[in-house]
Amino acid sequence: MRKMRRQSAKVMTAANGPVESTDTNDDVSERIRSTLAAAIGEGALKPGTKILEEAIAEHFGVSRTVVRGALGVLESDHLLERKRNRGTFVAEPSVEQAKSLFEARRKIEGLLLELVIARVTPEQVDALQKLTDEEEHIHHHGDEKSKTVLSGKFHIVLAEIAGNPVLTEVLAKIVARLSLVMSLYEEDRKDDCGADHHRMIVAALKAKDLAKAQQLMDHHLADIEGRVRLTEGQGDRHTFLAVLENFS
């Protein structure tokens, strides 16, 4: 009898229309999350941009409930923020948040270098060297998007070599949030992707010189921080300039 009831329930469900399985919803939710995260990280979705749930649902062929699940994950990672009665927007980090992110990154990257020095293999050093060669090529022949993506990749690969997945995850989230900081507050847009700094860091790692590697990393991160003007009005100014660029 119970078996017949279960079968009847399945028939009724089928009659009412196709039902997405949980596994399918989870897969699509992850695709939505990764798509938006990549767009934010590469600067295609700027801070303050409104997220159109209906458009996302239509594009991926899912309900808005599934979309909101993906957006919720991005909100917890501080890449999106929900504003009451207005919707969901790409996050706009405050000056204090930006300072905290830069400080956390310096501390974490210094710690990661300690682990890298202890665990890196000659093959991994060679792989890092090839990555810096690729950066050099992109610097001369690639677009700004490619430069940004590859520069961030160096730091994530370095973190992975350290062999601590928790620290790697934390750094990846910090780097993602800092992409928003750079979009809002960057003042000095240099035409480089840090390839020279990265190459020197790799050389220090190859020589097993921790102090030198940390010194070079500090210099590299200070250079990145030096490109932003962390003042309260700077974020609003960049947002306004973006509007002028789009409509002029």
Side-chain angles (χ1 to χ4, degrees):
M1 185 68 177
R2 290 178 181 175
K3 183 177 181 181
M4 291 179 62
R5 286 177 180 172
R6 285 198 297 268
Q7 290 175 336
S8 298
K10 289 179 180 179
V11 171
M12 290 176 63
T13 301
N16 290 333
V19 176
E20 301 165 334
S21 70
T22 302
D23 289 342
T24 301
N25 285 346
D26 289 345
D27 291 343
V28 177
S29 181
E30 174 56 25
R31 284 174 54 206
I32 294 171
R33 186 209 64 78
S34 61
T35 297
L36 292 178
I40 291 170
E42 295 172 14
L45 286 176
K46 302 291 185 183
T49 301
K50 185 171 185 178
I51 301 299
L52 305 179
E53 293 183 10
E54 186 175 350
I56 297 172
E58 182 179 347
H59 177 78
F60 286 93
V62 293
S63 67
R64 293 181 70 171
T65 300
V66 176
V67 173
R68 286 171 186 152
L71 300 186
V73 175
L74 292 170
E75 285 180 54
S76 68
D77 289 340
H78 304 285
L79 295 181
L80 298 180
E81 54 188 7
R82 182 174 292 276
K83 298 181 180 180
R84 189 173 182 179
N85 299 325
R86 293 182 57 194
T88 302
F89 298 79
V90 178
E92 298 177 275
S94 68
V95 169
E96 288 306 313
Q97 287 172 336
K99 290 177 179 178
S100 295
L101 287 166
F102 279 128
E103 181 179 47
R105 182 177 185 178
R106 287 195 303 271
K107 297 297 184 183
I108 289 175
E109 297 236 34
L111 175 59
L112 284 169
L113 285 173
E114 291 183 23
L115 299 176
V116 172
I117 285 284
R119 299 171 179 174
V120 68
T121 65
E123 292 76 17
Q124 289 171 325
V125 170
D126 290 341
L128 285 171
Q129 185 61 62
K130 289 179 181 178
L131 190 56
T132 61
D133 291 341
E134 188 179 351
E135 284 183 323
E136 185 66 26
H137 176 77
I138 291 295
H139 171 60
H140 293 294
H141 303 98
D143 55 23
E144 290 302 317
K145 171 184 170 182
S146 299
K147 294 177 185 179
T148 301
V149 171
L150 203 57
S151 180
K153 182 180 178 180
F154 175 86
H155 293 269
I156 301 304
V157 170
L158 200 60
E160 290 171 347
I161 291 173
N164 187 309
V166 175
L167 287 175
T168 300
E169 181 181 1
V170 172
L171 179 64
K173 290 181 178 182
I174 289 174
V175 170
R177 293 178 67 185
L178 281 172
S179 69
L180 295 173
V181 172
M182 301 305 288
S183 292
L184 272 176
Y185 300 103
E186 188 172 12
E187 183 75 7
D188 183 13
R189 297 179 180 272
K190 293 184 179 180
D191 186 25
D192 67 64
C193 59
D196 289 340
H197 292 167
H198 293 169
R199 185 176 292 105
M200 289 188 287
I201 291 170
V202 173
L205 293 175
K206 188 173 183 177
K208 296 289 186 177
D209 189 339
L210 175 60
K212 184 66 173 179
Q214 289 178 325
Q215 179 187 24
L216 290 167
M217 182 64 79
D218 283 342
H219 176 73
H220 175 50
L221 297 180
D223 179 70
I224 294 173
E225 293 178 40
R227 302 179 191 184
V228 302
R229 182 192 295 177
L230 292 178
T231 58
E232 292 297 344
Q234 185 70 359
D236 293 336
R237 179 174 179 271
H238 274 230
T239 300
F240 185 70
L241 287 175
V243 173
L244 294 180
E245 290 174 359
N246 289 334
F247 287 91
S248 62

